[in-house]
Structure formats: C-alpha cells, structure tokens
Amino acid sequence: MRGQSIVHRAGLLGASVIAVMVGLVASPAVAAPCLYQASPQFAGVEQALAVNADCTDPDYNAATFVVDKVELKAFALPDGSTIPYTEVTGHFPATRTALPEGITQSPTTATHRVTWKFPDKAHWRNRFFQQTYPLPFDMLNTIVDRFAFTNGGFTVGITPGNPNVGYRVPAAAAKLAKAYANKLYGNTSRIFGYLYGQSGGSVQAIGASEGTSGVWDGIIPVVIATDGLTMHSFQWANLYAIAVPQAKREAIAEAVVPGSGRDIYADLTPDERAILNELLSAGFARLALEDMKFAVGFGPGNLGATGGLDPTYEDDFWSKPGYEGVDPPAWLTAAKVDGLASVTGIARNAQGAPVSINFDPATLPKLGSIGAEGLQFQVYAADGTTRITKGEARFLDGKLSGGTLTLNGNNHPALLAALLDGGKIRITNRALLATAFYPRHTIPDNGNPAYKQYRHANGSPKYAQRPVNIAYFGNLRASGGVRQTGKIKSRTIVIENLVDPASYPFTAAFYASQVESALGPVQASKMFRVYYQESASHGAFPGIVPDKMGTSLVGVGGILHQALLDLATWVENDVTPLPSSSYHLDEMNQVALPDSSRERRGLQPVLELKADGGERAVVGVNQPVKLTADIAMPPRSGRIVQYDWYLGADDFKYE
C-alpha cells in the first residue's frame, strides 16, 4: 500500500499577541476608475471589473475604507523572542456609487471586514501574503502570522460580507495595504504580493489571476473548482448516494482501501455499477470513496441555486420527454416522496407564532429508500391546488418526525400566516432527486472531460439540455464575474490533492490544459505549475487528517508554505521553481502519478510502505507486524531531515 510522509520544509504554525495602541491612516493617490468588462451574466452576479495596479475600484477604495483600530502588538516565537507588529482593522461599508451607463448591478449591501498585520521593519522584505475565501470563515481568509512574519511579509486578511464580490475587495484591500506599508516603513521600492485560496477561495484566486494585473505578483489556487464543478459536484455525489444503498456504499468504501484485495463492484446491480462509473468518470477520486461524508450526506445539492435560476427544471424533469423522471428506474421510484398531508393542528408559542404542525397520519406520504433526506414542505390552501409563496420564500423550514413537522426559526411570515387547520402541506423530495441528474442536462461549453460521458460520438448531447445553462453560476459569483479560460496574468501554482471528494483531482490537469491552450506551451512553462499531492484530501492543512472511516490522510500545509516561498523566489529572483508533477488521466478521468519520486516530480516526498514485506499482511490478534517505509524526495526538492510514524491511535500522535 502507498502512503505519504508529512515531512516538509516550511510547515510554520502558532501565534500569540499582545495589544497596545493606535497609529495612522494612509491612502494612495487618486487614479482613474477601473472599467467594467462586458460578459454574460446571471441575475445576482456582479459584472466583471478589470482591476489593475493603478485604477480605482468605484466602490472599494481609499475614500470608502474605514479604519476602525490600529494597535501595536507582538508575536511570540518558540524561542521566547518576539516580533513587534502593527495590526490595522477596518472595513468597507455597504455602499454603491453611480454606475456607468449600460451597467446594471445589484446594490452593494454587504460590509467587508479587513485586517492588515505589518511586522516591524527589521522583519519585512517588501512582500505580503494574502489568503482569500468567498465566505466569512476567518481561518480561510487569514495567513498564518508566523509563516508571514518570519518570511518577510505583512498579511492581508478579508472577512467578506454576503454577497461577496469576487476578487474586488481582496484587491482593494491589497492595494490600500501597499500604500499603508509605504507610509509605515518609509518605503519607495516595489512591494511584491502573493495570494492563495483553497476550495471556493481557489475560484477567487483563479479569477484574480485572470481578471487582474499588477495587484498580486503570484497566485496559488488550492484544490480548485473548474466551471461546472461548483454546481455539480454535490449533485453527482447525491446521484451515487440515491442509487447505491448505504450498505453497498460502505462495502465499496472498505474495498477501495489500498491493500484490501476486494472488488469495488462486487454485488452491484447493473444500474448501481453504471451510477458508480458515472461518478468516477466525472472525475471523483476513486480513493475518496473511502470517505463516506459525501456518500451519505445528501445535503441540498444546490437546490436553492437550481430552483432560483432554473425554476422550471423540477417540473420538466418529472413531466417532459428526455428526462429520467418521466420513465424512472426502479431505484428512483423507490426513493421518491410526494404527497399532500392534511394539517390537523398547529402549536404556537406565547407570541402566537407557529412552532410545529401536526398531520393526519392517513395523509402522510410514505418515506422512500433515502428516508427524510431532502424533504421540502410546500404550503397549500385547503383546496390542495393553490400554493402559497412569497417572493423567494417557497418552502417551510423544519424537520419531520412521525406525524409532526417542527419548524425552525427562520420561516417567512407570509408562509406562517397561511397555515391553518384543514390546510395542506405538500411533502416532497422531487427537487433533490431531480437535481441529482442535473449535470446530465447542463453540459458546460468549455470541453471539460468530465462531461464527455454525456455526449454521443458525434458530440451531440445524450440528454435533453436546459435552455439556460447555470453550471457557471457558482464560479462566476466567486470569481468576480470572470469565466475560467486559462489566460492567467500572474505566475500561478495550482496545488491539487488526490483523495479529495470535493475538488475532483482531474480539475488541475484540465486547468493546466486550458492555460497551455491560452498561452502556448512555452509561455505556460514560464507562468504556470501544478503540483499533485498523494494521500491528501480537501484543503491544505497541516498534520494528520482523521476521516470518518477511522484511517488518516496527510495534511499539506507545509507544502503550501513551500510553494509560496518558491513562488516568491520565482517572481523576485527569477529562479525557476520545480517542474510540475508528472501525471496522466485514465479513461475515467482518474489521475495517476508515477511510482518513483524522480519521475513524479513536484514537491511531495514519495513513501512506499510495506507490512511484512508486502502490500497486505493478515495476522492473528496481538501478532507482530513489521512495517517498513522507503521515503524519497523528488529531484532538487530538498532532503528528509525527520520522519515519524502514526499507527492509528485515537490520540492522533506521532511515534
């Protein structure tokens, strides 16, 4: 079996600070406004703004930025010394300037928080590091202080509001931070900037690499999402979970473990085998089938986005030729729940607001093979035909148990006011089941190989296609309105992991092909790298990553830090980084790496682990097993200075 070493060259963690006092404000010179780009849009998605080093964002700039606090602090290092630094916190308030003629945008209703951390001048080397993510998760929007300060950088962090505006706020915050640094340090030299983002942040990072110039000098998207994948990844996983019973999914999870000796297709029906192959051909990592989170967690599957942007899809799926719901397979029929339940009583709180609804048991629809997953609760009048909705409020939010629907606290007053004894509630999972098939009916136009399985040999679709393709919606919003084309403007390193159930590993190879097609092979080699990591899941975090099956995956936080340093050396000193990982895609879009470190290349050590000299050892209880490991570094990537064993204990400690 094959594992991975967690040894790396730059895994730097830890932080502690003390607060003291306030300081000054700085702003850059007034510049020409940034210009909007013409591009196809969906409602609710900002039109792309072309941002460069000199233009001024009409909404996010020195005039709109508010400094809330400036403090002098100190970062404690393990040796007991400290690094003094200045922390500036501020925000861009909700605002909207006048838009150019012909540009229609939604009002800016979100406040975006900003944090800058400037180490003292003795520790600064004219660079900054910045992480980005489209949701307000501080862990995914801030750089590790110790890494940044000990490698000569100040940090830029954003806690975005909702809706996010792609790279616009990160870019504005970075440009203002440069101006502040010039004043704070008395600097007149160039400041180099490096941006990275994981998962949804990778979409922002790719958008920044293609949609901006001169703001950042290098960008690292981590576990990336190509156009279509953001919308479809959960839907493919839901299709698998609906079609393949849980007991069989668990058997597949056990069979896929390296060294198991089992067949993942054992005991599957032809339909179940076909759906498993559809998931794998979409690029879902074969080894990630061991991770049951995405197999049993049906989740909403982008029900909100699908229903809001393509509102007729659900009814079309169950009624029109060309859709699976018209003549459903037996397993789909077995999963379906749909019926009108009669209200027999409404419990209310002291303020008179409904808190739960009781139903006539005889009218409750029977739950199907996936139970209560994905149920929606639609309010109808007593006639059973008039549905009550209010704007985007179309469903009650609650949990069904027995004959009672317990309501959550965020239901629209209009729906609550429509509840009455004798009324009807439609209880259905039609939307969840329909959206599980959505990738078949919304094939992207960018040549993504995951969708080749949905085309005939002549290229025509096998399935009915939607009149408007919304597969790009999620990426467009997070990327600032920029479609992914590979036309990067900054040096870019993609980090992709091979046991990732959310960012399918083939996506890095696909984006690499887009970059090469857009720039040409010679220029692409001067601008782009992709590094694959074995035995790593979703993200770039340090240490052991326990999963639901009780095994462990490796963190690649140190590899990310090394890539950031290599990127800085590439930009600042024109030192060419290590070549991209060597890989190939098989016929099911599964990524394969060479066995030897010399052939594989990249940054990660290659580890060959054996039990009693083989891939698998079967022994009695309390019988000794001899474990041996062969660890090799790729050429020019450094040397092994330490290794540790993790033997599966619940404390997740190294031996």
Side-chain angles (χ1 to χ4, degrees):
M1 55 185 168
R2 184 172 295 282
Q4 268 307 326
S5 166
I6 50 78
V7 176
H8 50 70
R9 292 183 277 161
L12 304 173
L13 305 170
S16 63
V17 295
I18 54 174
V20 281
M21 52 190 295
V22 296
L24 54 128
V25 180
S27 63
V30 175
C34 304
L35 300 177
Y36 285 93
Q37 304 177 50
S39 58
Q41 298 297 312
F42 295 106
V45 178
E46 291 289 325
Q47 190 156 337
L49 195 72
V51 177
N52 59 45
D54 301 318
C55 70
T56 297
D57 188 298
D59 297 305
Y60 310 106
N61 52 59
T64 62
F65 184 67
V66 178
V67 174
D68 298 314
K69 186 185 294 185
V70 181
E71 297 179 285
L72 300 182
K73 297 186 175 184
F75 179 82
L77 295 171
D79 64 4
S81 64
T82 60
I83 298 177
Y85 70 95
T86 301
E87 179 177 283
V88 181
T89 55
H91 69 278
F92 290 106
T95 182
R96 170 65 78 192
T97 59
L99 293 167
E101 184 177 355
I103 301 296
T104 303
Q105 302 285 23
S106 58
T108 297
T109 57
T111 296
H112 307 274
R113 292 190 287 115
V114 177
T115 301
W116 301 326
K117 296 181 181 180
F118 301 95
D120 67 324
K121 192 170 184 178
H123 288 89
W124 186 58
R125 299 204 299 274
N126 282 72
R127 61 171 65 141
F128 72 90
F129 299 100
Q130 181 176 358
Q131 185 177 189
T132 187
Y133 194 75
L135 297 176
F137 301 156
D138 288 343
M139 179 181 69
L140 293 173
N141 284 286
T142 56
I143 289 283
V144 176
D145 293 337
R146 181 179 169 188
F147 167 77
F149 294 167
T150 57
N151 287 288
F154 66 78
T155 67
V156 178
I158 308 294
T159 303
N162 184 24
N164 78 81
V165 288
Y167 51 74
R168 288 180 59 186
V169 169
K175 292 164 71 172
L176 290 174
K178 290 182 185 181
Y180 194 103
N182 285 337
K183 199 166 184 179
L184 180 67
Y185 295 125
N187 177 66
T188 58
S189 301
R190 178 179 176 181
I191 297 176
F192 298 92
Y194 305 99
L195 176 76
Y196 85 91
Q198 306 178 54
S199 189
S202 78
V203 180
Q204 285 190 304
I206 291 175
S209 188
E210 296 195 19
T212 73
S213 61
V215 180
W216 300 281
D217 299 278
I219 293 176
I220 299 184
V222 183
V223 292
I224 69 174
T226 61
D227 283 351
L229 185 66
T230 303
M231 176 69 70
H232 291 155
S233 60
F234 291 96
Q235 295 167 341
W236 273 313
N238 282 345
L239 183 64
Y240 169 66
I242 292 165
V244 181
Q246 181 170 340
K248 291 187 177 182
R249 295 196 307 271
E250 291 174 353
I252 291 169
E254 294 175 359
V256 80
V257 175
S260 74
R262 303 180 187 180
D263 178 7
I264 67 170
Y265 295 102
D267 300 323
L268 296 185
T269 67
D271 276 358
E272 292 163 354
R273 177 186 289 261
I275 295 298
L276 173 56
N277 281 340
E278 183 171 348
L279 177 67
L280 294 175
S281 294
F284 186 92
R286 191 176 188 274
L287 286 173
L289 291 169
E290 184 187 359
D291 185 338
M292 294 298 290
K293 288 180 292 186
F294 280 75
V296 299
F298 291 78
N302 290 300
L303 293 182
T306 304
L309 295 168
D310 192 355
T312 65
Y313 171 70
E314 179 185 332
D315 287 338
D316 289 351
F317 177 85
W318 295 103
S319 63
K320 290 187 175 181
Y323 294 92
E324 296 81 357
V326 175
D327 184 19
W331 56 267
L332 182 57
T333 300
K336 187 178 179 182
V337 177
D338 191 31
L340 286 169
S342 298
V343 177
T344 58
I346 303 171
R348 301 177 183 271
N349 60 19
Q351 291 73 41
V355 294
S356 65
I357 303 168
N358 292 324
F359 298 108
D360 177 357
T363 64
L364 278 171
K366 183 179 179 181
L367 298 184
S369 61
I370 62 172
E373 294 288 352
L375 290 181
Q376 293 179 327
F377 307 98
Q378 305 168 0
V379 181
Y380 280 74
D383 60 14
T385 59
T386 304
R387 184 178 173 186
I388 311 298
T389 61
K390 183 68 174 180
E392 293 185 359
R394 297 178 294 149
F395 312 100
L396 288 173
D397 186 9
K399 183 176 182 180
L400 182 67
S401 179
T404 300
L405 175 62
T406 301
L407 299 174
N408 294 329
N410 57 348
N411 283 289
H412 196 281
L415 297 184
L416 297 178
L419 296 173
L420 72 161
D421 288 354
K424 307 289 185 182
I425 303 291
R426 186 177 186 178
I427 301 174
T428 180
N429 63 2
R430 293 192 340 150
L432 172 69
L433 301 182
T435 56
F437 293 86
Y438 203 64
R440 298 182 180 183
H441 303 287
T442 46
I443 301 174
D445 61 3
N446 57 2
N448 190 318
Y451 301 86
K452 183 178 180 181
Q453 60 184 319
Y454 301 143
R455 295 187 183 276
H456 295 293
N458 65 2
S460 62
K462 295 179 181 179
Y463 304 97
Q465 296 298 294
R466 302 303 296 158
V468 177
N469 192 323
I470 66 169
Y472 313 107
F473 174 79
N475 270 17
L476 276 173
R477 173 174 287 175
S479 67
V482 176
R483 282 287 304 273
Q484 294 178 0
T485 64
K487 296 178 182 178
I488 57 175
K489 298 179 178 67
S490 302
R491 283 175 168 164
T492 301
I493 296 175
V494 169
I495 293 178
E496 191 68 38
N497 300 335
L498 289 182
V499 194
D500 191 333
S503 171
Y504 297 1
F506 86 94
T507 56
F510 174 57
Y511 190 65
S513 70
Q514 288 183 296
V515 171
E516 185 167 316
S517 177
L519 303 185
V522 174
Q523 186 64 14
S525 70
K526 297 177 181 179
M527 295 284 290
F528 184 79
R529 293 289 187 274
V530 55
Y531 296 137
Y532 273 109
Q533 317 309 326
E534 191 178 29
S535 299
S537 187
H538 195 60
F541 306 107
I544 298 172
V545 184
D547 71 12
K548 194 168 183 177
M549 296 302 295
T551 60
S552 66
L553 298 169
V554 67
V556 293
I559 286 173
L560 169 61
H561 288 157
Q562 187 62 54
L564 283 166
L565 297 180
D566 290 350
L567 183 61
T569 304
W570 193 11
V571 167
E572 296 168 25
N573 301 319
D574 203 27
V575 175
T576 303
L578 295 176
S580 293
S581 298
S582 176
Y583 57 85
H584 77 271
L585 299 181
D586 67 15
E587 67 281 358
M588 297 182 75
N589 293 311
Q590 299 295 299
V591 177
L593 304 180
D595 288 337
S596 77
S597 61
R598 180 169 297 278
E599 293 178 285
R600 183 177 298 189
R601 304 196 299 255
L603 288 174
Q604 191 183 39
V606 175
L607 186 151
E608 191 73 26
L609 178 65
K610 293 184 178 181
D612 285 346
E615 282 195 342
R616 176 180 175 85
V618 179
V619 299
V621 177
N622 293 327
Q623 295 301 305
V625 176
K626 183 179 181 180
L627 301 177
T628 57
D630 181 16
I631 309 171
M633 296 294 293
R636 299 191 296 113
S637 63
R639 60 189 180 88
I640 302 294
V641 296
Q642 179 182 336
Y643 66 88
D644 298 286
W645 290 86
Y646 166 64
L647 301 178
D650 291 338
D651 58 9
F652 295 103
K653 291 183 178 179
Y654 302 112
E655 298 290 337

